[in-house]
């Protein structure tokens, strides 16, 4: 409810600050950023107040800091943070490669790749649920059920995002046409979706097994897959910037990286035992 409220308030506050309505300062595009900051601060205050109240079953109160707690959190959390950084580096590398070609290329790549971000709530929502279910069952000693949870979660998410990927690869104009009618931008976006979108199921496998690995405290293979994807993205950027490859080749490298990383993650899941 806090997140939903923040989104609703943000949708109202953004145009107010952008356009200077109701006596507010006219901030232009920066108004959207200010609205985001204000909504985040407001949501934080609401959560803290609620968790300090008797209504919350999980109470927020002062507690002595202990080394074992930091060890338990950072043992998974620190590596997971590095994983997020590598994902950001991959996106940055491909953006740099597209920007080196033309403004139309960076716009086309940006529009096409945003579809993956639109699918992220599905993958993250199911993934965070999998963390809880896997961790809870392993804590109870029910290894077989934890594995079943992981498999069902991966199959469901990979199936959903995979179907979306296949659909937009066949009909890319339905997505790209929402944002532009420029033929040059459409061409680059269509090329990206034709090459990469059919591998969206692989992205679902990678992310869901990464979340599952967090719940099981077994993230070596998911991290290895992330490193591979990042290296592929950096290689694609280097080839394009040096003029040794086209943007189409870079997109192909991205698709191959997804297939390789998904294979690594899946094999790692199958090889890793959770009962010890």
């Amino acid at each position: 409810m806090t997140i939903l409220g923040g989104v609703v308030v943000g949708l109202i506050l953004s145009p107010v600050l952008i356009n200077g309505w109701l006596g507010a300062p006219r901030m232009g595009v920066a108004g959207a950023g200010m609205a985001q900051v204000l909504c985040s601060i407001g949501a934080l205050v609401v959560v803290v107040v609620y968790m300090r109240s008797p209504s919350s079953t999980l109470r927020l109160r002062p507690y002595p800091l202990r080394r074992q707690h930091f060890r338990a959190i950072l043992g998974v959390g620190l590596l997971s943070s590095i994983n997020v950084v590598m994902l950001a580096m991959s996106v940055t590398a491909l953006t740099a490669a597209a920007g080196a070609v033309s403004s139309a290329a960076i716009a086309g790549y940006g529009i096409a790749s945003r579809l993956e971000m639109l699918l992220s709530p599905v993958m993250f929502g199911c993934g965070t649920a999998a963390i809880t279910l896997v961790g809870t069952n392993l804590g109870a000693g029910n290894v077989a059920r934890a594995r079943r949870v992981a498999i069902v979660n991966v199959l469901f998410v990979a199936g959903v995002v995979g179907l979306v990927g296949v659909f937009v690869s066949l009909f890319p104009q339905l997505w790209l046409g929402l944002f532009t009618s420029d033929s040059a931008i459409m061409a680059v976006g269509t090329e990206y979706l034709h090459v990469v979108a059919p591998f969206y199921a692989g992205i679902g496998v990678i992310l869901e097994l990464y979340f599952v690995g967090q719940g099981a405290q077994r993230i070596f293979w998911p991290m290895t897959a992330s490193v591979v994807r990042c290296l592929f993205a950096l290689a694609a950027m280097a080839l394009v910037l040096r003029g040794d490859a086209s943007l189409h080749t870079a997109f192909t490298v991205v698709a191959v990286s997804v297939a390789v990383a998904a294979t690594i993650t899946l094999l790692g899941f199958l090889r890793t035992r959770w009962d010890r």
Side-chain angles (χ1 to χ4, degrees), residues 91 112-123 200:
V91 173
S113 62
R114 288 312 91 187
L115 180 58
E116 297 169 31
M117 299 299 101
L118 189 65
L119 294 173
S120 291
V122 176
M123 295 185 282
Y200 278 4

Side-chain angles (χ1 to χ4, degrees), residues 152-172:
V152 170
N153 178 63
V154 170
L155 291 176
F156 173 75
V157 174
V160 171
V161 299
L163 286 175
V164 173
V166 170
F167 182 79
V168 296
S169 69
L170 295 174
F171 308 102

Side-chain angles (χ1 to χ4, degrees), residues 39-221:
C39 288
S40 297
I41 294 174
L44 174 62
V45 171
V46 169
V47 169
V48 170
V49 170
Y50 172 74
M51 293 188 66
R52 293 277 294 171
S53 72
S55 301
S56 176
T57 55
L58 185 65
R59 300 295 297 276
L60 187 66
R61 65 179 189 270
Y63 195 81
L65 301 178
R66 296 181 179 177
R67 181 177 299 177
Q68 61 266 34
H69 294 164
F70 283 92
R71 186 183 300 115
I73 294 170
L74 295 178
V76 174
L78 183 60
L79 291 176
S80 299
S81 300
I82 296 173
N83 183 66
V84 174
V85 171
M86 288 191 295
L87 288 174
M89 288 176 60
S90 299
V91 173
T92 302
L94 293 172
T95 303
V101 175
S102 67
S103 57
I106 197 171
Y109 164 72
I111 294 172
S113 62
R114 288 312 91 187
L115 180 58
E116 297 169 31
M117 299 299 101
L118 189 65
L119 294 173
S120 291
V122 176
M123 295 185 282
F124 274 74
C126 293
T128 52
I131 291 176
T132 303
L133 289 169
V134 169
T136 301
N137 279 281
L138 287 179
N142 198 340
V143 178
R145 189 168 189 266
R147 300 284 289 191
R148 286 199 302 271
V149 166
I151 293 170
V152 170
N153 178 63
V154 170
L155 291 176
F156 173 75
V157 174
V160 171
V161 299
L163 286 175
V164 173
V166 170
F167 182 79
V168 296
S169 69
L170 295 174
F171 308 102
Q173 67 278 3
L174 294 180
W175 170 255
L176 300 171
L178 296 174
F179 305 95
T180 185
S181 58
D182 184 280
S183 58
I185 296 175
M186 290 281 283
V188 175
T190 297
E191 190 172 29
Y192 179 86
L193 292 177
H194 278 329
V195 175
V196 179
F199 292 86
Y200 278 4
I203 296 176
V205 170
I206 295 167
L207 284 180
E208 295 313 300
L209 287 180
Y210 165 70
F211 285 118
V212 165
Q214 286 184 307
Q217 293 187 318
R218 303 287 193 278
I219 61 173
F220 173 77
W221 290 108

